[in-house]
Amino acid sequence: MALRPDEFYDHALSAADQEHRLPLARMTGWSISPFEAEGLRVSPLRPPVLPEPPRHGEDPSDCDSCREREEGIWFNDAWRLTWIKGVGVPLVLMLHPLDHYDMADLPDELAAELGVLSAHIVRHVQALPHISRAHVYRIGDGGAHLHIWFFARPEGQTQLYGSWMPVWDDLLPEYPADVADADAATVADALVTSIGGRRAAAAGGC
C-alpha cells in the first residue's frame, strides 16, 4: 500500500534542508538539461493539499474538450486530433476521445484503438522531414478529459532528448506557424490513408 499523504510528505522532508528544499535532481546534471546547476534552487516542498482541487472538466457539462469536439485536423467516429499552436518545437499534436473519458475509464475497445492510433501518429510525425522522434505524453493532472500529447523532436537537436523536451519547448521561440500548419496537414492526410477517418477542411484547429 502506498504511503499516506502525511507519511509521503514526512518521508520527503527527511532529505530536505531546514527550508524544506530538496537537493537538486540528478536530471539537472544531465547534458540535455536546459539549466546550469550553479545558482539553481529547488522550491520548498509544500505540505499535501487534501482533498485535491478538481481538474478542469471533471463535470462533462463544463469540459472544454467536449465543447470543442468539432475542432481538429483529423477525426474518426471516436477520436479527434488537434494541432497545438504557439509552441517552440516543430509540431505538437493532441489526441482526444470525442466522448468524455479519462484513461482509467476508457472502454477496452477504445483503449485498443488508442494504441493503434498512437502508433500511426508517431509513424507519420517521424516521417516528416527533419524530425527525428515523436515523444508521447499522458499526464492527466490538469484535465479530466483524456488527452495524449505528441511532441516532434527536431533532427540534430540532441539537447532536446528525453524528458526535458517539454521544458525546452517552453523556452524556445515560437516555431513558424506556416511550417507547422503544413506538417500538421501532412500528418492528417497520412492518417486518412493509413487508418481512415477524415481530415478537416483546414489544418489549423487546436
Side-chain angles (χ1 to χ4, degrees), residues 42-56:
V42 178
S43 297
L45 187 64
R46 297 188 290 267
V49 175
L50 295 170
E52 291 191 4
R55 299 174 297 171
H56 172 76

Side-chain angles (χ1 to χ4, degrees), residues 181-205:
D181 186 12
D183 282 344
T186 297
V187 171
D189 285 336
L191 273 176
V192 172
T193 299
S194 70
I195 207 167
R198 62 182 176 85
R199 183 164 84 82

Side-chain angles (χ1 to χ4, degrees), residues 8 17 35 48 85 93 95-96 143 160:
F8 181 89
D17 62 17
F35 307 110
K85 300 179 183 180
L93 303 174
L95 183 65
H96 324 242
L160 275 63

Side-chain angles (χ1 to χ4, degrees), residues 69-82 94-99 101-103 106-118 121 145-148 150 191 195-198:
R69 59 183 287 145
E70 301 301 321
E71 296 182 17
I73 61 171
W74 173 91
F75 302 84
N76 70 9
D77 291 341
W79 300 90
R80 68 187 178 101
L81 185 69
T82 60
M94 187 183 288
L95 183 65
H96 324 242
L98 290 177
D99 294 331
Y101 294 112
D102 199 355
M103 180 72 87
L106 199 64
D108 286 350
E109 61 185 46
L110 289 184
E113 288 180 12
L114 173 60
V116 174
L117 266 173
S118 295
I121 294 167
H145 193 122
L146 176 62
H147 49 290
I148 309 292
F150 298 84
L191 273 176
I195 207 167
R198 62 182 176 85

Side-chain angles (χ1 to χ4, degrees), residues 33-192:
S33 171
F35 307 110
E36 295 180 351
E38 184 179 353
L40 277 181
R41 238 181 15 159
V42 178
S43 297
L45 187 64
R46 297 188 290 267
V49 175
L50 295 170
E52 291 191 4
R55 299 174 297 171
H56 172 76
E58 294 283 8
D59 179 353
S61 68
D62 190 37
C63 174
D64 286 344
S65 190
C66 289
R67 282 196 295 266
E68 296 166 359
R69 59 183 287 145
E70 301 301 321
E71 296 182 17
I73 61 171
W74 173 91
F75 302 84
N76 70 9
D77 291 341
W79 300 90
R80 68 187 178 101
L81 185 69
T82 60
W83 163 42
I84 307 302
K85 300 179 183 180
V87 300
V89 297
L91 189 64
V92 176
L93 303 174
M94 187 183 288
L95 183 65
H96 324 242
L98 290 177
D99 294 331
H100 192 80
Y101 294 112
D102 199 355
M103 180 72 87
D105 55 18
L106 199 64
D108 286 350
E109 61 185 46
L110 289 184
E113 288 180 12
L114 173 60
V116 174
L117 266 173
S118 295
H120 280 251
I121 294 167
V122 166
R123 189 176 305 152
H124 301 320
V125 169
Q126 291 184 175
L128 293 169
H130 311 304
I131 299 300
S132 285
R133 206 85 61 231
H135 291 200
V136 184
Y137 303 94
R138 183 267 172 178
I139 310 299
D141 280 334
H145 193 122
L146 176 62
H147 49 290
I148 309 292
W149 298 84
F150 298 84
F151 278 66
R153 180 175 67 74
E155 182 181 25
Q157 292 297 326
T158 57
Q159 270 185 292
L160 275 63
Y161 276 3
S163 51
W164 278 116
M165 190 164 76
V167 181
W168 278 109
D169 171 66
D170 205 38
L171 295 167
L172 290 164
E174 184 175 337
Y175 194 81
D178 57 334
V179 180
D181 186 12
D183 282 344
T186 297
V187 171
D189 285 336
L191 273 176
V192 172

Side-chain angles (χ1 to χ4, degrees), residues 2-16:
L3 297 176
R4 297 191 314 265
D6 59 312
E7 291 174 329
F8 181 89
Y9 183 62
D10 289 343
H11 171 72
L13 287 184
S14 69

